[in-house]
């Protein structure tokens, strides 16, 4: 928070600190960073000059965009050092010419993979960069990637940032009109009102959450990559885009089977079974599947802060025999979701992550993996529903497709995100090279399509 | 306690206004809930709070988008469940 006597600090949220701990692990063990990405596939008319101008204008009003993240004197929660931000230095925006004049189907420019595997200096405020790849062929399209230190923006925030940039270009918003970043305590992040809790009450909630997490050790998991992989990070991704007819069919199946409020459980069940199919092909017992589901705890009904991660995690665990039957698996996930929300794990998880901010990064990552014998989870999963609904153009160019690319540490080495854009379902599978061989990629995608489409 | 429709509308409205949503004075029992940002987590939390107050659990799978149009339509759904319990 701003102070007249001390440096201006904005403490990381609990979720920010969680991501920072794994950023540190990836930096130390895998020579990269925990970089998230959003891709817009644009048609003709993209005004890169306008984007450059807006980025220049919003940076002074939002210095968090280039603020170093440090723990002051090694004490307290890590924080954005706003007083040390590179004032007026906008995020890097580079324009590249594509190697081929036209897009090659659904494939993205290889440069976008490289961005996931590069080093950013978070301690120096190197948090966000943009790359525009232009195609010179008849379509004159552009692929735009925003790549950022994962803690800066969550999925919802990244979409709001894109919407804000476009609104600035059209003169509907002023570059300095975002609510200024400030300290967000656990009460502000819990998504619920109610009485302010004492330190002891918060501690009790955090312990409940820790006990819940340690309970997963009763059925240890094995990820496809194995625990604590110390290899150079080499993430790539594959985007499966279903056509509108297929998407309509899948969305209807998801709503019919999981309910219109919780289609994400349908997609999670399909993703668990896709991973299970690879285990079965290898003849390896996964032990169990432990999967976190990010849930947004952003304020509902008002524009919240964009440049912070405001999520909690609901954790699921199922045994391989439960994954044999899709319907049975789906019912188990429904029951676990309801039980977890009823037990207050959304809120207690926030308190636990809030306390954990004070832990040194190495200790944090070690403790997070300890109870699962070095594993963090079976894979990462996210479902973010409609991508930028209502926004048809971005800086003058039609948005032909758009999707998230959630990063993943080399262990567990596999992450799947689903979202809808323009009536088409996008499934982004991010993986560490070497975790899946060519045959296993086919097995994974075939099983996923089979369960999504009910073929 | 006998829950009238009006009492349920008031309960749903107050839970949403005071605990689950960040809304201003323009928020009324007729306001569109989806437009205010009500998501699946908030709906489940709302149903759990209603269960605490009324003793009746409204199965989420019974909810339709139409029922989530406003506090009033949601209260109608809860009222039907209570009448049938």
């Amino acid at each position: 928070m701003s102070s007249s006597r001390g440096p201006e600090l904005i403490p990381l949220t609990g979720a920010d600190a969680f991501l920072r701990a794994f950023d540190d692990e990836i930096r130390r063990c895998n020579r990269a960073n925990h970089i998230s990405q959003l891709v817009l596939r644009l048609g003709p008319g993209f005004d890169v000059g306008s984007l450059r101008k807006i980025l220049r204008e919003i940076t002074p009003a939002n210095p968090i965009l280039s603020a170093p993240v440090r723990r002051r004197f090694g004490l307290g929660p890590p924080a954005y050092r706003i007083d040390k931000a590179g004032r007026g230095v906008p995020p890097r925006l580079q324009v590249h010419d594509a190697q081929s004049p036209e897009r090659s189907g659904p494939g993205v420019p290889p440069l976008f993979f490289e961005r996931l595997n590069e080093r950013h200096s978070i301690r120096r405020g190197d948090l966000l960069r943009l790359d525009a790849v232009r195609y010179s062929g008849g379509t004159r399209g552009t692929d735009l990637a925003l790549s950022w230190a994962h803690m800066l923006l969550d999925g919802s925030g990244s979409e709001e940032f894109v919407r804000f940039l476009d609104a600035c270009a059209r003169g509907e918003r002023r570059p300095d009109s975002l609510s200024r970043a400030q300290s967000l305590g656990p009460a502000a992040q819990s998504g619920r009102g109610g009485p302010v809790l004492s330190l002891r009450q918060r501690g009790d909630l955090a312990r409940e959450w820790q006990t819940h997490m340690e309970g997963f050790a009763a059925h240890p998991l094995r990820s496809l990559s194995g625990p604590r992989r110390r290899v150079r990070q080499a993430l790539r991704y594959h985007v499966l885009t279903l056509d509108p007819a297929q998407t309509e069919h899948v969305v209807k199946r998801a709503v019919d089977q999981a309910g219109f409020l919780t289609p994400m459980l349908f997609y999670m069940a399909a993703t668990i079974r896709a991973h299970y199919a690879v285990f079965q092909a290898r003849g390896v017992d996964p032990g169990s599947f432990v999967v976190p589901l990010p849930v947004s705890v952003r304020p509902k009904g008002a524009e919240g802060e964009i440049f912070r991660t405001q999520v909690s995690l609901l954790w699921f665990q199922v045994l391989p025999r439960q994954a044999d039957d899709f319907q049975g698996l789906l019912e188990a996930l429904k029951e676990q979701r309801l039980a977890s929300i009823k037990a207050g794990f959304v809120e207690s998880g926030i308190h636990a992550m809030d306390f954990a901010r004070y832990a040194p990064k190495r200790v944090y990552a070690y403790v997070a993996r300890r109870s699962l014998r070095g594993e963090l989870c079976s894979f990462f999963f996210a479902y973010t529903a409609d991508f930028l609904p209502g926004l048809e153009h971005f800086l003058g160019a039609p948005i032909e497709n758009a999707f998230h690319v959630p990063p993943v540490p080399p262990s567990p080495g596999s992450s799947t995100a689903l979202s809808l854009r323009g009536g088409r379902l996008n499934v982004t599978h991010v993986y560490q090279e070497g975790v899946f061989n060519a045959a296993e990629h086919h097995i994974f995608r075939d099983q996923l399509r089979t369960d999504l489409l009910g073929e | 306690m006998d829950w009238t429709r009006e009492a349920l509308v008031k309960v749903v409205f107050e839970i949403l206004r005071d605990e689950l949503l960040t809304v201003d004075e323009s928020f009324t029992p007729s306001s569109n809930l989806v437009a205010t940002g009500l998501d699946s987590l908030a709906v489940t939390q709302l149903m759990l709070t209603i269960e605490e107050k009324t003793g009746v659990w409204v199965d989420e799978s019974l909810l339709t988008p139409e029922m989530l149009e406003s506090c009033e339509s949601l209260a109608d759904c809860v009222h039907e469940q209570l009448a049938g319990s």
Side-chain angles (χ1 to χ4, degrees):
Chain A
M1 282 298 292
S2 179
S3 163
S4 59
R5 285 185 295 178
E8 191 177 2
L9 303 174
I10 300 176
L12 268 58
T13 65
D16 292 341
F18 176 85
L19 295 168
R20 177 177 178 260
F22 288 97
D23 182 271
D24 177 70
E25 182 188 88
I26 294 167
R27 185 181 58 78
R28 281 187 295 107
C29 304
N30 312 109
R31 289 174 280 162
N33 282 95
H34 202 32
I35 303 299
S36 196
Q37 196 174 82
L38 175 155
V39 175
L40 298 178
R41 312 209 80 170
L42 304 170
F46 175 57
D47 185 353
V48 70
S50 179
L51 177 58
R52 205 179 290 283
K53 176 173 176 285
I54 293 161
L55 289 171
R56 269 200 307 270
E57 290 173 347
I58 66 169
T59 307
N62 299 279
I64 193 171
L65 277 169
S66 57
V69 178
R70 293 180 196 164
R71 197 187 298 272
R72 197 179 179 214
F73 304 131
L75 300 170
Y80 287 100
R81 288 288 303 261
I82 298 299
D83 57 314
K84 301 284 187 188
R87 304 251 179 204
V89 179
R92 283 179 288 174
L93 166 61
Q94 287 185 303
V95 180
H96 317 262
D97 290 322
Q99 291 173 347
S100 59
E102 300 289 352
R103 288 190 181 110
S104 55
V108 298
L111 172 74
F112 292 2
F113 302 147
E114 291 173 24
R115 291 292 180 251
L116 294 178
N117 301 313
E118 290 177 342
R119 297 288 290 264
H120 286 227
S121 181
I122 289 172
R123 284 179 58 83
R124 292 182 182 151
D126 181 15
L127 303 176
L128 169 67
R129 67 180 303 170
L130 299 92
D131 292 282
V133 176
R134 294 188 298 202
Y135 296 88
S136 58
T139 56
R140 311 295 291 181
T142 301
D143 286 337
L144 179 69
L146 283 71
S147 307
W148 65 91
H150 196 3
M151 74 186 82
L152 181 68
L153 295 160
D154 56 28
S156 172
S158 65
E159 290 185 34
E160 287 310 306
F161 183 47
V162 169
R163 195 184 289 281
F164 176 71
L165 291 172
D166 187 69
C168 288
R170 286 186 283 109
E172 293 176 3
R173 295 285 301 265
R174 286 186 12 230
D176 62 353
S177 64
L178 282 177
S179 60
R180 192 167 172 79
Q182 57 183 315
S183 177
L184 292 172
Q189 299 167 53
S190 68
R192 302 196 72 170
V196 175
L197 301 179
S198 67
L199 187 64
R200 182 172 182 170
Q201 288 171 315
R202 292 177 49 216
D204 288 344
L205 288 174
R207 268 191 293 278
E208 278 179 26
W209 191 80
Q210 187 61 24
T211 303
H212 169 57
M213 296 301 296
E214 287 171 356
F216 295 143
H219 300 284
L221 72 96
R222 178 193 169 93
S223 68
L224 283 168
S225 78
R228 288 200 182 95
R229 211 155 170 245
R230 288 177 181 262
V231 295
R232 185 179 183 91
Q233 177 161 285
L235 295 180
R236 297 180 66 84
Y237 55 90
H238 174 268
V239 184
L240 168 68
T241 302
L242 300 185
D243 66 36
Q246 289 173 322
T247 299
E248 188 178 356
H249 176 64
V250 171
V251 168
K252 183 175 187 310
R253 277 172 52 77
V255 170
D256 288 348
Q257 295 185 32
F260 91 95
L261 281 169
T262 52
M264 73 290 268
L265 300 181
F266 173 87
Y267 299 118
M268 181 188 278
T271 310
I272 288 173
R273 281 168 53 83
H275 283 85
Y276 187 33
V278 177
F279 275 107
Q280 288 177 307
R282 286 185 190 178
V284 172
D285 179 6
S288 69
F289 290 97
V290 174
V291 185
L293 175 69
V295 292
S296 174
V297 291
R298 287 179 170 274
K300 296 163 183 67
E303 181 176 276
E305 289 190 26
I306 283 183
F307 303 116
R308 317 294 291 283
T309 48
Q310 297 180 64
V311 296
S312 186
L313 295 170
L314 285 176
W315 289 78
F316 296 79
Q317 183 175 41
V318 293
L319 301 177
R321 60 178 163 76
Q322 292 176 288
D324 282 334
D325 167 50
F326 189 89
Q327 287 303 325
L329 175 60
L330 188 51
E331 289 307 314
L333 296 178
K334 284 184 195 174
E335 286 171 17
Q336 289 186 29
R337 174 185 175 274
L338 183 58
S340 290
I341 295 174
K342 202 166 190 172
F345 289 139
V346 172
E347 293 83 1
S348 58
I350 289 169
H351 290 292
M353 287 195 288
D354 193 66
F355 280 114
R357 293 184 305 166
Y358 294 86
K361 290 174 288 192
R362 287 189 187 204
V363 174
Y364 194 133
Y366 173 77
V367 170
R369 289 184 181 273
R370 183 187 57 182
S371 63
L372 294 175
R373 300 179 188 171
E375 298 279 14
L376 184 60
C377 60
S378 298
F379 58 87
F380 286 165
F381 171 83
Y383 170 72
T384 54
D386 283 319
F387 195 112
L388 285 169
L391 189 71
E392 301 303 323
H393 290 74
F394 180 69
L395 288 127
I399 302 174
E400 296 181 349
N401 200 1
F403 48 84
H404 291 285
V405 183
V408 60
S411 165
S414 176
S415 174
T416 306
L418 299 97
S419 59
L420 295 154
R421 174 70 204 179
R424 288 177 297 174
L425 179 70
N426 286 310
V427 184
T428 314
H429 183 216
V430 189
Y431 53 90
Q432 166 76 23
E433 276 185 355
V435 171
F436 294 78
N437 63 33
E440 289 172 346
H441 276 299
H442 284 294
I443 292 168
F444 181 89
R445 291 168 198 165
D446 286 349
Q447 183 65 52
L448 193 59
R449 282 183 67 98
T450 297
D451 281 333
L452 290 176
L453 292 160
E455 290 170 339
Chain B
M1 176 178 175
D2 285 336
W3 287 92
T4 63
R5 179 187 178 277
E6 289 69 31
L8 283 170
V9 171
K10 185 168 182 287
V11 164
V12 170
F13 174 70
E14 288 177 351
I15 296 169
L16 288 171
R17 183 193 60 190
D18 301 338
E19 296 185 31
L20 296 176
L21 300 177
T22 306
V23 288
D24 57 24
E25 306 78 49
S26 64
F27 181 66
T28 70
S30 306
S31 297
N32 185 296
L33 298 182
V34 177
T36 62
L38 194 74
D39 62 8
S40 59
L41 173 62
V43 171
T44 304
Q45 290 172 328
L46 172 65
M47 292 304 147
L48 288 168
T49 309
I50 289 173
E51 185 188 27
E52 282 173 21
K53 292 181 184 293
T54 66
V56 170
W57 169 248
V58 180
D59 187 347
E60 294 167 293
S61 63
L62 298 175
L63 296 175
T64 62
E66 293 74 30
M67 291 172 186
L68 291 176
E69 279 183 359
S70 67
C71 295
E72 291 161 340
S73 58
L74 192 52
D76 285 341
C77 170
V78 178
H79 193 241
E80 279 182 27
Q81 289 283 305
L82 278 166
S85 65

